[in-house]
Amino acid sequence: MESVAAAARSLRAGVEKSRALGQALARAGPRVEEIQLALPALEAAVRPIRAPRAELAAAGPHIDRAVGPAAAVLKVFDAVHGLEPPLLAAGAVAGDLAGYLAVLGRLEEALRFLSDNSGLAAQWLADIVEYLGDHDLADPRFLADLAVTLEGLKKPSGDLDGGLLAAALDMLEAEFRRLLADHSAPLPLAMQQLNTTSASTAAPSLIPAATVHKLSLILDRLIANGRQDRCLSVYADARGGVVSASLRALGLDYLRNPVDDAQALGPGVELWGRHLEFVVRCLLESERQLCNKVFGQRKDDASACFADVAAHAGILDFLSFGRAAADAKKDPIKLLRLLEVFDSLNKLRLDFNRLFGGKKACVEIQNQTRDLVKSLVDGAVEIFEELLVQVELQRHMPPPPDGGVPRLVSFVVEYCNRLLSEKYRPVLAQVLTIHRSWRKETFSDKMLVNAVLNIVKALEANFDVWSKAYDNVTLSYLFMMNTHWHFFKNLKATRLGELLGDAWLQEHEQFKDYYLTVFMRDSWGVVSPLLNREGLILFSKGRATAKDLVKQRLKTFNASFDEMFRKQSAWVIPEKDLREKTCGLVVQAIVPAYRSYMQNYGPLVEQDVSASKYVKYTVDGLEKMLSALFIPRPRRAGSFQIRHTNDKITSAMTGFYRSASTVK
């Protein structure tokens, strides 16, 4: 039993030992796992020690070659960060632009170095990592993480400086704006008025040369760093605002609301020509020179910027106004307006070519100018070539019922003289020459003169036709007297009269004298003989019979005088000298005969109770009545009617008489 008890105790002790051993093993398990996990790292750490000495020695030079460029890149990075204070300091640009640009140049140079070398240095480091991995000289996991980092460094990045360059460029751009704003005052009104009257030279630049130099330097750096569009926009807005402000005082609202009537366009066209010359030769020429100085050799940028400034100057509005003149209602006066617009543009032709020619940015201005010139030439030639037809078409229109000068005569005489004046003749000749050249035809000044003379001669041919339209022959004499005298008086000592010649003019003066003679003979010349003395001097049947004869002759005279005066009171002689001469002749024909008659025979009837029936006029009263004859009254415009069915000619002729009605 003791043996059994001893065995039991021994067995119990073994079980306890086994339990304790199991618990110890359980406690040692995590430590074993930690050791197991640490073993690879330990193995990697000791691998270089375990690596062959030759491989370790061979890796050294490769590592040195890769680390050298990387160290240089890091040194440049440090230099870039050192440039932050001078570049971001307040007032640094305005205080010392040259110094600021020098520092900016160092930054740009550093960034170019980083851009060119950062990727290369990272690539060399990546090659070393790959080499170490291939030769099992470092921990693979460490090498893998390092490879991922280096792969990111190899990709190009635009933020190598942390935004320092962008901030510096923003400061330069702000200084660019400030310089423009500080030197962008509009042209003084006094200088505008001076240049408006004589716009032969560009306005003096209000930007000092030193400031222009600064603008150019800043512009170079901004454009070199990709800010071209922003620079052009800033410059165009600033200088365009200056031009707009300079023009605002001129009052250019008329450019946007042109009238559709050539007669009313006259003052506007004259003002338009002066303003256009001022804008082109003074303002825009000054801006062109400034653009060239600021942009330097960047011709395309200067052209684009100048085109925007020209747009602010309203150059297209000026061209649109010229187009409105070309599109105005057809009218002979429109020819003068077209010639005036063409002349203004032609005077500025070289300036337009210099400012806008050959510049892609100014294509719209070039095209609109070219189209406007063509419209002006075509429109002017069309109206000029129709003038002769228009005059001939009026041959069968009724003449003035009062025997006065037709408005057409007054208008054509004045109109043709204007066409041959120094103001219009060379311009019209140039327009006709250009138009003929488009058709491969030639033109000479003699052809122009002949065309105008043919218009005048066609008008002259209308006189006889118009005179025959009167039912009263005496009125036709008055009409011919008026018209020939008006022709002579208004053509003498004029350019047109010189071309027609003295002999031609003298014929009209002679015609005037002839028709005045026949007018007096057939009208008042038949009234005064009614007061004849036949039968009164030698009358032998007594006083009563003589009184009856005097009464009868006074009654006949009064009736004839009243009828003649009534008719001729509605007639006119527009020219004062001719009217006074004619009235004088009428007075001379009637008053002396009436005075003498009344002195000799008036007493026979003046004491009669019915004397007022026969002695209706006193001598003075009669003279006053006759002296007041033929005075023109205001005419109402539009007394001529157009009856032709041809739309083109009807439209033209309506305009012709609308123009003619304004002459009187």
Side-chain angles (χ1 to χ4, degrees):
M1 289 299 290
E2 290 180 358
S3 297
V4 172
R9 287 192 297 274
S10 178
L11 182 60
R12 188 179 297 112
V15 171
E16 291 294 335
K17 289 181 179 181
S18 296
R19 184 180 293 115
L21 181 60
Q23 291 176 349
L25 288 174
R27 287 192 299 271
R31 295 182 61 193
V32 172
E33 290 180 1
E34 290 178 3
I35 294 172
Q36 186 177 1
L37 292 175
L39 283 176
L42 293 173
E43 182 182 6
V46 300
R47 185 174 295 138
I49 301 174
R50 291 166 38 205
R53 189 178 218 39
E55 292 186 9
L56 289 174
H62 293 290
I63 295 173
D64 292 340
R65 283 195 298 271
V67 171
V73 168
L74 291 175
K75 185 177 180 180
V76 173
F77 266 115
D78 290 339
V80 167
H81 290 302
L83 296 177
E84 288 186 12
L87 288 177
L88 301 182
V93 183
D96 182 11
L97 178 61
Y100 191 89
L101 292 176
V103 176
L104 181 62
R106 289 164 54 192
L107 174 61
E108 291 173 337
E109 184 178 359
L111 292 178
R112 283 194 297 271
F113 177 84
L114 293 177
S115 178
D116 294 340
N117 295 283
S118 293
L120 183 60
Q123 180 62 51
W124 285 355
L125 290 174
D127 292 342
I128 289 301
V129 170
E130 184 179 358
Y131 178 86
L132 294 175
D134 292 343
H135 292 79
D136 202 19
L137 297 178
D139 181 8
R141 287 176 295 177
F142 170 75
L143 293 177
D145 293 341
L146 188 57
V148 172
T149 302
L150 292 174
E151 189 65 29
L153 292 176
K154 288 191 294 183
K155 297 178 181 179
S157 173
D159 194 25
L160 295 174
D161 60 345
L164 179 59
L165 177 61
L169 293 176
D170 287 342
M171 294 182 68
L172 271 183
E173 187 175 320
E175 178 66 7
F176 188 73
R177 291 177 183 272
R178 186 191 69 80
L179 289 173
L180 286 173
D182 289 350
H183 299 86
S184 291
L187 196 65
L189 182 60
M191 187 175 294
Q192 292 186 39
Q193 295 171 344
L194 175 64
N195 284 282
T196 301
T197 56
S198 180
S200 58
T201 58
S205 176
L206 299 180
I207 301 183
T211 302
V212 172
H213 181 63
K214 289 182 179 180
L215 289 171
S216 182
L217 292 177
I218 294 175
L219 197 63
D220 286 342
R221 299 313 330 132
L222 291 175
I223 292 179
N225 284 279
R227 299 203 176 191
Q228 177 180 8
D229 292 341
R230 293 172 63 174
C231 290
L232 296 182
S233 177
V234 170
Y235 184 91
D237 288 344
R239 297 309 304 172
V242 173
V243 172
S244 297
S246 298
L247 293 178
R248 201 170 295 126
L250 294 179
L252 300 180
D253 292 341
Y254 70 92
L255 294 178
R256 299 169 186 83
N257 299 293
V259 296
D260 190 29
D261 182 80
Q263 188 77 26
L265 269 175
V269 169
E270 181 182 0
L271 195 62
W272 173 86
R274 295 204 308 270
H275 285 167
L276 179 62
E277 185 177 4
F278 168 70
V279 169
V280 171
R281 290 185 173 172
C282 183
L283 285 184
L284 291 185
E285 177 59 28
S286 177
E287 291 300 326
R288 181 190 71 85
Q289 294 176 10
L290 181 60
C291 271
N292 290 339
K293 292 175 183 176
V294 172
F295 286 90
Q297 298 301 315
R298 294 182 173 86
K299 300 300 183 183
D300 291 340
D301 292 339
S303 298
C305 214
F306 176 73
D308 287 341
V309 174
H312 281 83
I315 192 68
L316 294 178
D317 289 337
F318 277 94
L319 296 177
S320 296
F321 181 88
R323 184 73 195 197
D327 294 339
K329 293 178 181 178
K330 198 170 185 181
D331 187 315
I333 293 297
K334 178 182 175 180
L335 173 58
L336 305 182
R337 300 290 90 83
L338 296 181
L339 295 178
E340 290 163 3
V341 174
F342 176 86
D343 186 41
S344 295
L345 289 175
N346 189 55
K347 290 177 180 176
L348 299 173
R349 179 170 53 86
L350 296 179
D351 302 275
F352 265 73
N353 289 339
R354 183 175 61 257
L355 293 175
F356 310 117
K359 297 179 176 65
K360 293 181 180 179
C362 300
V363 168
E364 184 177 4
I365 297 175
Q366 297 169 21
N367 291 339
Q368 288 201 27
T369 304
R370 188 181 305 109
D371 293 343
L372 173 57
V373 171
K374 187 176 188 309
S375 297
L376 295 172
V377 171
D378 288 340
V381 171
E382 181 181 9
I383 294 175
F384 180 73
E385 291 180 345
E386 286 181 1
L387 291 177
L388 178 62
V389 177
Q390 292 174 7
V391 171
E392 292 174 342
L393 283 174
Q394 296 310 299
R395 193 162 293 167
H396 303 290
M397 298 301 293
D402 57 8
V405 180
R407 293 190 183 92
L408 180 65
V409 176
S410 302
F411 178 78
V412 170
V413 169
E414 179 182 344
Y415 188 78
C416 290
N417 264 320
R418 293 177 71 180
L419 288 181
L420 294 177
S421 67
E422 292 300 321
K423 179 178 180 180
Y424 294 107
R425 178 174 176 175
V427 183
L428 179 57
Q430 185 176 8
V431 166
L432 293 169
T433 301
I434 292 173
H435 191 267
R436 288 293 187 94
S437 69
W438 291 345
R439 298 186 297 183
K440 308 299 182 183
E441 299 174 358
T442 59
F443 186 82
S444 65
D445 186 69
K446 184 178 180 180
M447 297 171 67
L448 168 59
V449 172
N450 289 338
V452 174
L453 294 182
N454 287 337
I455 294 171
V456 176
K457 292 176 180 178
L459 178 64
E460 181 187 23
N462 291 357
F463 295 173
D464 287 336
V465 178
W466 284 333
S467 68
K468 293 175 182 177
Y470 288 106
D471 295 330
N472 188 316
V473 177
T474 305
L475 179 57
S476 72
Y477 296 154
L478 182 77
F479 166 78
M480 293 295 275
M481 176 184 72
N482 278 329
T483 306
H484 284 288
W485 181 242
H486 181 86
F487 231 39
F488 170 80
K489 186 174 181 179
N490 288 275
L491 287 174
K492 187 178 181 181
T494 66
R495 179 58 179 158
L496 183 58
E498 293 175 1
L499 294 172
L500 290 166
D502 291 338
W504 189 89
L505 290 176
Q506 288 171 3
E507 285 183 2
H508 287 281
E509 185 178 24
Q510 293 167 2
F511 275 128
K512 180 266 298 183
D513 293 337
Y514 168 76
Y515 284 110
L516 176 57
T517 300
V518 295
F519 169 77
M520 290 299 301
R521 183 195 66 194
D522 292 356
S523 58
W524 298 104
V526 301
V527 175
S528 57
L530 297 176
L531 296 175
N532 65 79
R533 305 182 184 189
E534 183 180 352
L536 292 177
I537 298 176
L538 301 176
F539 202 88
S540 59
K541 294 185 177 181
R543 182 180 178 87
T545 304
K547 180 189 296 187
D548 292 339
L549 188 57
V550 169
K551 287 182 177 180
Q552 181 62 38
R553 289 180 179 173
L554 283 174
K555 183 178 181 181
T556 303
F557 170 83
N558 289 337
S560 179
F561 177 88
D562 289 346
E563 177 64 17
M564 188 70 66
F565 185 83
R566 182 187 64 79
K567 287 182 179 180
Q568 297 196 11
S569 291
W571 300 353
V572 299
I573 300 178
E575 301 292 346
K576 182 179 179 180
D577 53 351
L578 180 59
R579 181 171 65 250
E580 291 178 349
K581 179 179 180 180
T582 304
C583 288
L585 292 175
V586 174
V587 169
Q588 185 178 355
I590 300 299
V591 173
Y594 185 75
R595 179 186 294 110
S596 176
Y597 195 84
M598 293 304 296
Q599 287 174 349
N600 291 321
Y601 307 109
L604 294 176
V605 295
E606 287 174 349
Q607 302 301 322
D608 196 284
V609 292
S610 60
S612 59
K613 293 174 55 179
Y614 307 103
V615 184
K616 295 179 64 176
Y617 307 105
T618 65
V619 174
D620 291 341
L622 199 67
E623 184 173 357
K624 289 180 180 179
M625 290 174 61
L626 294 176
S627 298
L629 280 173
F630 312 122
I631 297 176
R633 290 171 294 280
R635 285 186 175 183
R636 186 181 63 181
S639 61
F640 294 90
Q641 300 296 322
I642 307 302
R643 300 175 180 173
H644 301 283
T645 58
N646 184 301
D647 291 339
K648 180 178 180 182
I649 297 298
T650 298
S651 173
M653 290 310 303
T654 303
F656 199 97
Y657 271 109
R658 183 171 63 250
S659 297
S661 66
T662 64
V663 173
K664 285 188 173 288

